[in-house]
Amino acid sequence: MIDFLNNINPLLVNFILVVLFSLSLGMERRQQYETKSTKQTFGTDRTFTFIGVLGFLLLIADPSSKIPYLFGMGVLAVFMLVFYIFKAKKEEHYGMTSVLLAFITYGFPLFLSTASIWLSLLLFVVVLIMAGAKKPLRNVSKEIADDEFLTLAKFLIITGIILPILPKEDIHAYIPVSPYKIWLAVVVVSAISYLSYLLQKYVFPKAGLLLTAFLGGLYSSTASTIILARKSKNHDEHPKAYTGAIMITIAMMYLRVYILLMIFMPSIIRLTLPYFLALFIISLLVGIFYYRANHNNDKLETINTALEDENPLEFKVSIIFAGLYVLFSVITNLVLTNFGESGLSLLSIVVGVTDITPFLLNLFQGHYQVEHIMIAIATFQVMASNNVLKAVYAHIFSGEKTKRYIWKAFSIIIVANIIAVIVLYFL
């Protein structure tokens, strides 16, 4: 079978792909025309197939010259111009989709002959999807807020403009990290938060409590804990459901930190995987247990559980994050220099009452002479400490009935986290 596939003439493969691509576009055009009242149709399945085949034949007619192919393109351009002028005068409609698709169809054989097969297939898929996605795209564009394009522009600025121009040399002996690594941390965290933000706002705008917990935990487990706790005050008849949702945000914290670890310090992902996996599963099971133990879960679907719209790409937030990153870099370096690994262990516990992400990313990226096992211990200690802080937040902000279950649920996770730290100490 493999020998047979290897012996197939590449021209035959290209011809088949050209026919399939052209025919698919033509069928899509026919479907679009049949849903409209217009009679000014340029062509459908057969016409587009003939255009693709014509482009293929003229391309291979003289392999050493593209003159026949370019001549055919000129003839096609004349026909398309006549059609477009007639259509615009007759219907006063100036859409160019059919014209552009006709040129793409004609150009596909040339693209196929110069690009790799996977890139040609990617073009195939993208054009087909975009050709038939007019109505869905129009509906999506109506839902997108005006400032979302500005948000996207900010993301492109911090990733494609600022990051590449930053120096990669360490700032100072007391700050053993480069501006490039600092901003790379900002970019990665912003990307994860931005993805969660987009899913929450546009893909699942009316998400139920559980889905809100999953997405919110990926965005920020601390912020989600506070928001869900506050919402539980207004819906205190569902204390176990909100307790379960908060526990799920904790599970997503473990997943989020492990993703960051895989990106910035893959050398210890095997060492830490069993502990992250165990804590993720325990947190998830505790969350699901409490959620399922709640009465009248069906009524939760009518509650607006969406997290507040907070732009995760504000430059002020990025600058604060970068500042915290540098601060933790200085503190971590000083602690290691003066107190060694025991100082780092104590520091990780103290840092848990702050924003732990800058500290962890600095730890994962830093050039510190610290054993991998110590970095793993510090990572789990800072998360355990941070869970205590979130338990306090949840207790302060949640409703009276929800408070009865908060500490019970958090105790299970905190104890499991501490056990993981103890096991790592004995390795």
Side-chain angles (χ1 to χ4, degrees), residues 238-256:
H238 303 288
K240 292 183 179 179
Y242 277 91
T243 300
I246 291 172
M247 295 304 104
I248 289 173
T249 67
I250 306 303
M252 296 308 293
M253 175 196 71
Y254 289 114
L255 177 61
R256 187 170 187 256

Side-chain angles (χ1 to χ4, degrees), residues 150-274:
L150 180 60
T151 301
L152 177 60
K154 290 178 181 178
F155 182 70
L156 295 176
I157 289 172
I158 68 173
T159 56
I161 298 178
I162 297 178
L163 182 63
I165 65 175
L166 292 175
K168 297 183 179 181
E169 296 76 24
D170 288 352
I171 298 174
H172 192 273
Y174 293 107
I175 311 177
V177 66
S178 66
Y180 179 86
K181 285 189 174 181
I182 294 172
W183 203 253
L184 179 60
V186 173
V187 168
V188 172
V189 173
S190 297
I192 295 174
S193 299
Y194 190 39
L195 175 61
S196 176
Y197 167 80
L198 292 176
L199 290 173
Q200 174 74 32
K201 189 169 183 180
Y202 295 108
V203 181
F204 306 106
K206 297 180 181 179
L209 190 59
L210 279 181
L211 188 55
T212 298
F214 278 109
L215 297 176
L218 195 62
Y219 179 92
S220 169
S221 58
T222 302
S224 300
T225 296
I226 294 173
I227 292 169
L228 290 170
R230 285 173 173 169
K231 288 181 179 293
S232 72
K233 275 189 174 182
N234 299 325
H235 307 284
D236 212 20
E237 67 275 15
H238 303 288
K240 292 183 179 179
Y242 277 91
T243 300
I246 291 172
M247 295 304 104
I248 289 173
T249 67
I250 306 303
M252 296 308 293
M253 175 196 71
Y254 289 114
L255 177 61
R256 187 170 187 256
V257 173
Y258 191 71
I259 291 173
L260 296 175
L261 192 65
M262 287 192 295
I263 295 172
F264 293 105
M265 201 173 185
S267 55
I268 67 170
I269 57 176
R270 288 188 178 182
L271 170 64
T272 56
L273 177 59

Side-chain angles (χ1 to χ4, degrees), residues 190-419:
S190 297
I192 295 174
S193 299
Y194 190 39
L195 175 61
S196 176
Y197 167 80
L198 292 176
L199 290 173
Q200 174 74 32
K201 189 169 183 180
Y202 295 108
V203 181
F204 306 106
K206 297 180 181 179
L209 190 59
L210 279 181
L211 188 55
T212 298
F214 278 109
L215 297 176
L218 195 62
Y219 179 92
S220 169
S221 58
T222 302
S224 300
T225 296
I226 294 173
I227 292 169
L228 290 170
R230 285 173 173 169
K231 288 181 179 293
S232 72
K233 275 189 174 182
N234 299 325
H235 307 284
D236 212 20
E237 67 275 15
H238 303 288
K240 292 183 179 179
Y242 277 91
T243 300
I246 291 172
M247 295 304 104
I248 289 173
T249 67
I250 306 303
M252 296 308 293
M253 175 196 71
Y254 289 114
L255 177 61
R256 187 170 187 256
V257 173
Y258 191 71
I259 291 173
L260 296 175
L261 192 65
M262 287 192 295
I263 295 172
F264 293 105
M265 201 173 185
S267 55
I268 67 170
I269 57 176
R270 288 188 178 182
L271 170 64
T272 56
L273 177 59
Y275 306 96
F276 273 106
L277 186 61
L279 292 172
F280 173 76
I281 292 175
I282 291 171
S283 305
L284 193 62
L285 290 177
V286 171
I288 293 174
F289 170 79
Y290 272 99
Y291 184 85
R292 291 178 65 87
N294 187 74
H295 299 293
N296 300 323
N297 279 345
D298 294 339
K299 294 182 179 180
L300 289 171
E301 300 301 323
T302 63
I303 298 174
N304 181 15
T305 55
L307 301 180
E308 281 84 345
D309 287 340
E310 293 184 2
N311 188 339
L313 295 174
E314 289 292 345
F315 281 115
K316 181 175 67 175
V317 176
S318 299
I319 296 301
I320 292 173
F321 183 92
L324 288 173
Y325 188 101
V326 173
L327 176 62
F328 283 127
S329 179
V330 173
I331 295 173
T332 303
N333 189 56
L334 289 174
V335 168
L336 284 171
T337 302
N338 294 281
F339 303 102
E341 293 184 349
S342 59
L344 177 63
S345 178
L346 179 61
L347 177 64
S348 65
I349 297 174
V350 175
V351 167
V353 299
T354 65
D355 186 354
I356 67 172
T357 304
F359 170 77
L360 287 174
L361 288 177
N362 169 65
L363 193 63
F364 297 159
Q365 282 190 307
H367 302 292
Y368 307 116
Q369 300 300 317
V370 182
E371 293 184 5
H372 286 173
I373 189 69
M374 192 61 230
I375 292 178
I377 290 172
T379 300
F380 285 102
Q381 283 186 169
V382 75
M383 289 189 294
S385 177
N386 192 247
N387 281 338
V388 175
L389 176 67
K390 285 195 279 273
V392 173
Y393 282 154
H395 180 81
I396 292 173
F397 294 109
S398 62
E400 292 301 321
K401 293 181 180 178
T402 308
K403 290 179 181 179
R404 301 173 189 173
Y405 304 101
I406 286 295
W407 280 106
K408 294 179 182 178
F410 265 103
S411 296
I412 298 172
I413 297 169
I414 293 171
V415 169
N417 200 326
I418 293 174
I419 291 174

Side-chain angles (χ1 to χ4, degrees), residues 47-68:
T47 305
F48 274 83
T49 304
F50 289 146
I51 291 174
V53 171
L54 177 64
F56 179 82
L57 292 176
L58 294 178
L59 186 65
I60 66 173
D62 187 358
S64 61
S65 174
K66 298 292 190 297
I67 293 178

